[in-house]
Amino acid sequence: MTGWKRMIAKLRSADSPGALRALGGFLAVMLPVGAGFAWGFPLGFGPWVEIPVYLGLMLLALWLGAHLLAGLLSFIPIAMPRLTISTIVIGTSSAIIGFHEADMSWRLSIMSGLLLCAIGLGTGLIAHRCIMHPKRVASRLAMVGAVLVWLGGVSWLLEVWPGEKPIYERYAEIYQDGPHPPAIQAEHPGIAGQYAYSSFTYGSGQDRFRTEYGSKAELLTASADATEITEAWSSFRRWFWRTDISALPLNARVWMPEGEGPFPLVLMVHGNHLMEEFSDGGYAYLGEHFASRGFIAVSVDENFANYSAWSSGQNQNMPLREWGLIEHLHAIEQFHMNAGNPFSGKVDLERIALIGHSRGGQAVVMAADNGYRIQAVAALAPTDWRINQSYLRLRDVHYLVLQGNQDGDISTFDGERQYRRVTFSDDVSESEDYRFKAAVYIIGANHGQFNTGWGDRDITRPTHFLLNHRDLLPASEQREAALIYLTAFLEATLHGKLEYLPLFQDWRSAAEWLPDTGYITQFSDSTFVVLEDYELASKGLPGVTSKAESLTAKENIQVRDRQGNSKQNRGAELVWDEAGGTYTLLLPPEGGQLVHPENELAFSLAALPVSDSTTEAVIPDVTLEIRTTDGTVGHLDLDEHAIIPPPVMTQFTQHPKLENEIKPRRYRNPFEPVFQSFRIPLRAFQGWISTGNRAQLHSITWTIEADEPGRILIDDIGIYPDIQ
């Protein structure tokens, strides 16, 4: 026996069969966890290749480390199972560090590591007992108990235990028996259009992983130099992409309608995901549908800007994404102008829309002002960060944002802030000058399911198993909602089909189109006349005042998200003790707003929990009264026209106690206020004399009736004139 073999045998000499079998149980538990960690460190070759390799390397490292530590323990003159102890210490410590790197708090990481260690050792010891004493009743009971523990743990992790109805079903029920406006009079946007279409790719012709951008690319594009944006480019990125920052590829998937054209152009771009798990193919369901309805749809590959577990984050990440979109617009313009390719003469460069997801949802806003005629911008669960110390603004561009309450990545409605910063020119007299913006909060939607490749994984593996998947809207339904809204948005903005506007103004008009869940929507357009918006620099009518009776009105308060950050919006908080009260907006006696029956009164409401320390909320009965200076008085019960959505209380993880232990502080509050816009024709008010003559508006009163204390937010009060 060689010296090494004698040394290893000596290290194992104190490890009894029971200890080694306990160690086997420990490894049986830790190996799947290790596979989960390995899955989060891809290299682009696929999990079925990479995970076995990673596990082999992990076991080798564990074997070497355990024998090294056992050698150190051999200097302690106490009999102990050195190899077993060493393996457990190193394996458990590695798991704890891995859990923390996968978005768990240190406390949860330590608890999870120790729990898995205990389960593994316990399973191994029970197996040893059953092997040594197979016929003993205690051994059999222990084995049955171990099996039940395993089944219980796995079923909890996979959320197969019965529970209450998912949140999207509970919110759908709220609207089932409520009032509904007239059904929208437009073609269902979820139905494929009349155009046949072809699909192809353009790219560098040299992609090492994807033949569609390599040998099978129909059009070849020159590389683009991004050194003016950033010079940061890690050695790993250079190895992975086989290129440098000065020669980045321009790759994209295209769905082209058949016909002479020219057709409107729609660029779609993904957000931040593992760069080795390519994201650009995840919007094919949109590209195919858009092309069938007469849009050239292009899904842009910006995976080189994404994060990697093997590389530091890319410097100037957002400007790099913006740069990529503009480079693709340049490339498509050149294709359009040159003969002999599928784009030749087919692109309407006066009608362009940009659609982005996550960081891509912010990149499209950045790219909207680049010299091209960007008519419309849409964002799916976008980020909203300062760029060069300032937040982005859009003017005279159509804007749509979709967000889900179950978004475990962008857990606050960041896109609502961008919605607030979209402004329109004051003088809109021609239909071609008309612009609108809309925000849609989809109950049950998460971050990743908008992209078929991302799915339900909003945070790092394997921690994502602890997220609350039971409340997720089915992936197909989330994508159906996105497809319907985005298609209607493109039809309205690029094809001029304004008959789709009711979908954005009041989603209930298209309830038959949409998946069954709840939607909270906000809408405004370039015709809206603001009376009061409660901002410090208000765009409202000068001289507007207010008064409150039997309730407290806290005006100009900052609206905050679930993390306590400003939503860049202010409103009035109406607080009542028990019976409710009234809140009246008084318009100036001279220079007030002229109205007539075809105008619409608009305002936004958000129900709040009774207090900041509870999730309970009271939805009051609200009666509206409008008065004009000529004595006309109109009344309307709001619940006969619309429903005030209850606060959306979101549980992001499988158990409430985990909310502060995963993505620490990101999920700390189950609630953030989301406004619902209301539009009510003045002719719907009882007592209004429909003479057709204009009258000067004197006051608007909201009467709150409730049996318990409560509070709501009110904002964006104004009038829509009768022009479209």
Side-chain angles (χ1 to χ4, degrees), residues 469-548:
H469 297 103
R470 182 180 289 111
D471 278 342
L472 286 190
L473 191 65
S476 61
E477 295 186 23
Q478 179 171 331
R479 288 193 282 272
E480 180 70 9
L483 181 143
I484 288 170
Y485 266 107
L486 290 171
T487 304
F489 182 66
L490 296 178
E491 292 283 8
T493 59
L494 299 187
H495 281 161
K497 295 183 178 180
L498 298 184
E499 60 264 33
Y500 284 105
L501 284 181
L503 170 64
F504 305 99
Q505 295 167 347
D506 190 335
W507 70 270
R508 297 170 304 153
S509 67
E512 295 298 318
W513 294 350
L514 294 165
D516 288 335
T517 181
Y519 302 84
I520 302 177
T521 56
Q522 299 172 69
F523 177 89
S524 185
D525 66 22
S526 49
T527 71
F528 183 50
V529 178
V530 181
L531 299 180
E532 177 62 89
D533 59 11
Y534 301 102
E535 300 299 322
L536 298 181
S538 176
K539 301 180 181 67
L541 198 64
V544 172
T545 59
S546 65
K547 66 177 182 179

Side-chain angles (χ1 to χ4, degrees), residues 201-203 209-218 252-253 280:
T201 58
Y202 64 79
F209 293 108
R210 297 165 292 176
T211 58
E212 60 265 40
Y213 297 140
S215 60
K216 293 183 180 179
E218 183 162 334
R253 303 172 189 271
D280 50 291

Side-chain angles (χ1 to χ4, degrees), residues 94-117:
S94 299
I96 290 171
I97 294 172
F99 284 135
H100 181 65
E101 292 299 313
D103 298 322
M104 287 189 189
S105 67
W106 277 114
R107 178 169 59 180
L108 181 59
S109 299
I110 293 170
M111 290 174 60
S112 299
L114 294 178
L115 177 61
L116 289 172
C117 175

Side-chain angles (χ1 to χ4, degrees), residues 199-257:
S199 62
F200 60 91
T201 58
Y202 64 79
S204 64
Q206 300 176 355
D207 194 286
R208 62 184 296 214
F209 293 108
R210 297 165 292 176
T211 58
E212 60 265 40
Y213 297 140
S215 60
K216 293 183 180 179
E218 183 162 334
L219 297 175
L220 295 181
T221 53
S223 60
D225 185 354
T227 52
E228 290 188 3
I229 306 301
T230 176
E231 295 184 357
W233 194 252
S234 69
S235 57
F236 175 77
R237 290 178 184 271
R238 186 175 298 108
W239 168 82
F240 186 86
W241 295 109
R242 294 290 194 267
T243 188
D244 209 334
I245 194 72
S246 62
L248 294 182
L250 296 179
N251 301 330
R253 303 172 189 271
V254 182
W255 295 267
M256 175 74 69

Side-chain angles (χ1 to χ4, degrees), residues 647-678:
V648 181
M649 297 298 173
T650 303
Q651 182 177 316
F652 289 98
T653 59
Q654 290 196 36
H655 194 280
K657 290 189 179 298
L658 296 176
E659 297 289 272
N660 289 321
E661 304 296 340
I662 297 175
K663 289 279 187 182
R665 299 179 65 83
R666 184 172 292 189
Y667 309 146
R668 65 177 179 172
N669 193 325
F671 166 76
E672 70 171 304
V674 178
F675 283 95
Q676 172 65 53
S677 295
F678 296 91

Side-chain angles (χ1 to χ4, degrees), residues 546-548 551-555 572-575 583:
S546 65
K547 66 177 182 179
L551 56 75
T552 301
K554 305 175 183 177
E555 297 181 336
E573 181 179 346
L574 308 184
V575 184
Y583 177 72

